[in-house]
Amino acid sequence: MTPDLSIQWLGRVEYQQGLALQDRLVAERRAGAIPDQLLLLEHDPVYTIGRTPDQTSLRGATHLPHPVVRISRGGQATYHGPGQLIGYPILDLRNHGQDLHRYLRALEELLIRVCDTFGVKARRREGLTGAWVTDRKIASIGVGVRHWISMHGFALNVCGDLAPFEAITPCGIIGVAMTSLEKESRRPISVQDAAGAVSRLFPECLPPAHGPLPPT
């Protein structure tokens, strides 16, 4: 952690409470009242979908076992729940290159490095956002930006039940298989273990104000 970045572990947070907290922190960051933030947490079970007229990735909402929340990030439907590490960076992207593409690649790099910490070799896939283990998706990214202040962020599957993903088309990718750190490493890993790795690696993966991204 640096004086310009506050990292907080919040534990398990109901989705709407987490969204309200993000809204407040985005306003405070825009006003210059607080430094950059990284919120790390788990959510109660919920499905979310971004600002898109195409809602087919929900496969209709009536059959879903958990609530659906429509939010301001980009992207299709995904699932959040226990065993998944959620990261919400509240950053002034004007201090990190003011480039959304660079920011997304930086989040992917973070997730790849975190997976490597646990012996899991993740990678990018051409034309797709997130982190992958061969053709299995281990982490998703969906961000929103207000006046160059970021919100929403990433979800890394660490442990727990992946079955709720089967009720939707995750990220709108037909036939995608979801996986987790615990499943790929074949050993117990807690969400807090993963949160510790993210806390260590996040500052060095942030894109600088100018120049190239950190080396991959």
Side-chain angles (χ1 to χ4, degrees):
M1 189 183 307
T2 73
D4 299 322
L5 174 66
S6 173
I7 301 177
Q8 302 180 61
W9 166 250
L10 301 182
R12 190 157 162 180
V13 177
E14 189 270 331
Y15 190 84
Q16 294 287 13
Q17 290 178 343
L19 191 59
L21 176 59
Q22 287 186 80
D23 286 337
R24 176 171 64 80
L25 293 177
V26 165
E28 291 178 2
R29 184 69 189 98
R30 186 185 178 201
I34 57 172
D36 285 343
Q37 308 283 311
L38 174 62
L39 309 180
L40 299 173
L41 57 133
E42 288 180 277
H43 276 312
D44 295 334
V46 65
Y47 294 99
T48 68
I49 190 165
R51 52 182 187 277
T52 172
D54 179 7
Q55 305 279 301
T56 56
S57 58
L58 288 172
R59 303 185 199 166
T62 57
H63 72 292
L64 296 176
H66 305 296
V68 176
V69 180
R70 291 169 173 82
I71 55 176
S72 61
R73 65 162 170 80
Q76 289 285 342
T78 194
Y79 165 76
H80 300 310
Q84 185 184 73
L85 174 63
I86 303 295
Y88 291 141
I90 312 295
L91 311 177
D92 188 339
L93 293 179
R94 293 171 295 184
N95 299 328
H96 302 288
Q98 199 166 342
D99 185 321
L100 189 56
H101 176 77
R102 283 161 56 90
Y103 175 53
L104 291 171
R105 301 294 79 76
L107 292 181
E108 287 173 342
E109 180 63 21
L110 168 70
L111 294 164
I112 289 167
R113 292 191 192 185
V114 170
C115 289
D116 189 62
T117 298
F118 297 98
V120 175
K121 299 299 181 185
R123 65 181 182 92
R124 296 178 176 87
R125 286 184 67 184
E126 184 69 29
L128 298 171
T129 301
W132 303 75
V133 181
T134 63
D135 61 347
R136 301 179 296 279
K137 193 167 193 181
I138 197 167
S140 301
I141 297 173
V143 303
V145 177
R146 296 180 186 170
H147 305 282
W148 286 108
I149 309 298
S150 68
M151 63 184 300
H152 303 298
F154 61 84
L156 173 63
N157 300 328
V158 179
C159 54
D161 186 13
L162 297 172
F165 283 106
E166 297 173 6
I168 60 172
T169 303
C171 304
I173 305 171
I174 295 172
V176 68
M178 305 299 290
T179 191
S180 67
L181 280 176
E182 193 170 85
K183 187 174 181 179
E184 295 295 332
S185 67
R186 300 184 180 181
R187 64 185 177 94
I189 300 172
S190 73
V191 173
Q192 285 185 276
D193 290 337
V198 168
S199 296
R200 292 191 300 273
L201 293 167
F202 185 79
E204 64 189 58
C205 290
L206 278 176
H210 304 287
L213 289 170
T216 59

